[in-house]
Amino acid sequence: MESTEKIPNQNGEWYVVEIIEKCEPVERNEKQELRRVTTWGNYHLIKAKSPEEAYEKAVKLGKEAEYKFTNESKLEMEWIFVGIGDLIPIYEENIEDGAEIMWTDYGFISNRKTERFARSKKEILDNIKPKQKL
Protein backbone atom coordinates (compact mmCIF):
# COMPACT_ATOMS: atom_id res chain seq x y z
CA MET A 1 0.00 0.00 0.00
CA GLU A 2 1.25 3.46 -0.86
CA SER A 3 0.96 6.01 1.89
CA THR A 4 2.52 9.34 2.79
CA GLU A 5 1.34 9.32 6.41
CA LYS A 6 3.91 7.50 8.54
CA ILE A 7 4.59 7.29 12.26
CA PRO A 8 8.25 6.42 12.82
CA ASN A 9 8.92 3.46 15.09
CA GLN A 10 12.64 2.79 14.54
CA ASN A 11 13.23 2.67 18.30
CA GLY A 12 10.32 0.28 18.92
CA GLU A 13 8.48 2.80 21.10
CA TRP A 14 4.91 1.86 20.13
CA TYR A 15 2.71 -0.75 21.81
CA VAL A 16 -0.87 -1.97 21.52
CA VAL A 17 -2.43 -2.51 24.92
CA GLU A 18 -5.76 -4.08 25.80
CA ILE A 19 -7.44 -2.38 28.75
CA ILE A 20 -10.10 -4.56 30.39
CA GLU A 21 -13.03 -2.77 32.01
CA LYS A 22 -16.42 -3.80 33.33
CA CYS A 23 -19.74 -2.09 33.97
CA GLU A 24 -22.03 -3.03 36.82
CA PRO A 25 -24.35 -1.49 39.41
CA VAL A 26 -22.72 0.53 42.20
CA GLU A 27 -24.86 -1.44 44.69
CA ARG A 28 -23.81 -5.05 44.11
CA ASN A 29 -22.91 -8.20 45.99
CA GLU A 30 -19.09 -8.30 45.75
CA LYS A 31 -19.06 -11.84 47.19
CA GLN A 32 -21.02 -13.19 44.23
CA GLU A 33 -18.13 -13.93 41.87
CA LEU A 34 -20.38 -15.50 39.20
CA ARG A 35 -22.49 -12.35 38.78
CA ARG A 36 -22.82 -11.12 35.18
CA VAL A 37 -21.07 -7.89 34.22
CA THR A 38 -20.71 -6.08 30.91
CA THR A 39 -17.04 -6.48 29.97
CA TRP A 40 -15.00 -4.70 27.33
CA GLY A 41 -11.46 -5.09 26.06
CA ASN A 42 -10.42 -1.71 24.64
CA TYR A 43 -7.27 -1.51 22.54
CA HIS A 44 -5.07 1.56 22.79
CA LEU A 45 -1.91 2.68 21.04
CA ILE A 46 0.79 3.62 23.57
CA LYS A 47 4.13 5.32 23.00
CA ALA A 48 6.73 4.41 25.63
CA LYS A 49 10.47 3.82 25.98
CA SER A 50 9.99 0.35 27.52
CA PRO A 51 7.32 -2.31 28.06
CA GLU A 52 7.26 -1.35 31.76
CA GLU A 53 6.54 2.29 30.93
CA ALA A 54 3.87 1.23 28.42
CA TYR A 55 2.23 -0.93 31.09
CA GLU A 56 2.21 1.91 33.63
CA LYS A 57 0.75 4.32 31.07
CA ALA A 58 -1.95 1.77 30.23
CA VAL A 59 -2.88 1.32 33.90
CA LYS A 60 -3.13 5.10 34.26
CA LEU A 61 -5.38 5.28 31.18
CA GLY A 62 -7.58 2.52 32.54
CA LYS A 63 -7.98 4.13 35.95
CA GLU A 64 -8.69 7.56 34.42
CA ALA A 65 -11.55 6.05 32.37
CA GLU A 66 -13.50 4.92 35.45
CA TYR A 67 -16.77 6.77 36.00
CA LYS A 68 -20.28 6.48 37.45
CA PHE A 69 -23.56 7.26 35.71
CA THR A 70 -27.30 6.67 36.05
CA ASN A 71 -28.81 4.38 33.41
CA GLU A 72 -32.25 4.56 31.78
CA SER A 73 -33.70 2.49 34.65
CA LYS A 74 -32.45 5.10 37.16
CA LEU A 75 -29.88 2.61 38.48
CA GLU A 76 -26.48 4.00 39.46
CA MET A 77 -23.83 2.16 37.43
CA GLU A 78 -20.07 2.38 37.12
CA TRP A 79 -17.35 1.50 34.65
CA ILE A 80 -14.45 -0.07 36.53
CA PHE A 81 -10.88 -0.68 35.36
CA VAL A 82 -10.14 -4.40 35.78
CA GLY A 83 -6.59 -4.59 34.47
CA ILE A 84 -4.40 -5.07 31.42
CA GLY A 85 -5.32 -7.96 29.11
CA ASP A 86 -2.38 -7.72 26.74
CA LEU A 87 0.63 -5.58 25.90
CA ILE A 88 2.00 -6.09 22.41
CA PRO A 89 5.08 -4.33 21.02
CA ILE A 90 4.80 -3.06 17.45
CA TYR A 91 7.87 -4.21 15.52
CA GLU A 92 7.11 -2.45 12.24
CA GLU A 93 9.56 0.43 11.66
CA ASN A 94 6.95 2.74 10.16
CA ILE A 95 3.32 2.68 11.24
CA GLU A 96 1.27 3.55 8.18
CA ASP A 97 -1.81 2.50 6.26
CA GLY A 98 -1.62 -1.28 5.97
CA ALA A 99 1.20 -1.77 8.51
CA GLU A 100 1.09 -4.99 10.52
CA ILE A 101 0.73 -4.02 14.18
CA MET A 102 -0.48 -7.23 15.86
CA TRP A 103 -0.42 -10.95 15.19
CA THR A 104 -1.52 -14.17 16.84
CA ASP A 105 0.20 -17.54 16.50
CA TYR A 106 -2.66 -20.04 16.43
CA GLY A 107 -0.22 -22.95 16.22
CA PHE A 108 -0.19 -26.05 14.05
CA ILE A 109 -3.92 -26.72 13.71
CA SER A 110 -6.31 -28.36 11.26
CA ASN A 111 -7.25 -26.65 8.04
CA ARG A 112 -10.90 -26.87 9.12
CA LYS A 113 -10.20 -24.91 12.29
CA THR A 114 -8.11 -22.40 10.32
CA GLU A 115 -10.98 -21.80 7.88
CA ARG A 116 -13.32 -21.03 10.81
CA PHE A 117 -11.29 -17.95 11.83
CA ALA A 118 -12.39 -16.06 8.71
CA ARG A 119 -15.82 -14.43 8.97
CA SER A 120 -18.08 -12.98 6.29
CA LYS A 121 -18.07 -9.29 5.48
CA LYS A 122 -21.63 -9.00 6.84
CA GLU A 123 -20.71 -10.70 10.13
CA ILE A 124 -17.70 -8.42 10.60
CA LEU A 125 -19.50 -5.21 9.69
CA ASP A 126 -22.58 -6.07 11.77
CA ASN A 127 -20.35 -6.30 14.86
CA ILE A 128 -19.02 -2.75 14.48
CA LYS A 129 -20.80 -0.42 16.85
CA PRO A 130 -21.17 3.27 15.89
CA LYS A 131 -18.98 5.67 17.85
CA GLN A 132 -20.73 6.85 21.00
CA LYS A 133 -21.41 10.58 21.17
CA LEU A 134 -20.69 12.22 24.50
Side-chain angles (χ1 to χ4, degrees):
M1 294 184 133
E2 289 280 328
S3 177
T4 56
E5 299 176 65
K6 293 184 180 183
I7 300 171
N9 190 37
Q10 286 84 5
N11 298 325
E13 295 180 331
W14 288 96
Y15 299 83
V16 174
V17 63
E18 181 186 22
I19 296 174
I20 307 295
E21 60 184 11
K22 65 181 177 178
C23 185
E24 61 181 327
V26 171
E27 297 293 324
R28 60 186 173 269
N29 182 354
E30 293 283 342
K31 293 179 183 176
Q32 186 182 16
E33 289 187 16
L34 296 178
R35 68 187 182 276
R36 300 285 186 200
V37 297
T38 300
T39 306
W40 284 71
N42 297 311
Y43 291 87
H44 295 260
L45 194 57
I46 303 275
K47 185 174 185 178
K49 291 182 170 57
S50 69
E52 292 80 11
E53 181 186 349
Y55 183 89
E56 295 304 323
K57 286 178 83 171
V59 168
K60 184 175 187 252
L61 267 175
K63 288 179 178 178
E64 289 174 349
E66 292 184 323
Y67 69 97
K68 293 180 182 177
F69 65 98
T70 303
N71 68 10
E72 310 85 39
S73 302
K74 307 291 187 230
L75 186 61
E76 189 176 16
M77 304 288 289
E78 64 182 327
W79 278 100
I80 302 164
F81 170 66
V82 175
I84 304 304
D86 215 344
L87 179 67
I88 304 165
I90 298 174
Y91 296 109
E92 192 72 32
E93 287 193 9
N94 284 299
I95 301 166
E96 60 185 312
D97 188 19
E100 179 182 71
I101 60 166
M102 295 171 56
W103 54 270
T104 301
D105 181 353
Y106 293 110
F108 191 60
I109 60 176
S110 71
N111 179 64
R112 189 162 115 185
K113 190 167 186 176
T114 298
E115 296 290 331
R116 289 183 183 159
F117 286 120
R119 297 181 294 159
S120 71
K121 178 180 179 180
K122 179 180 178 356
E123 187 178 3
I124 290 170
L125 296 179
D126 284 352
N127 283 325
I128 296 176
K129 310 263 189 284
K131 184 176 179 180
Q132 299 279 329
K133 294 182 182 178
L134 300 175

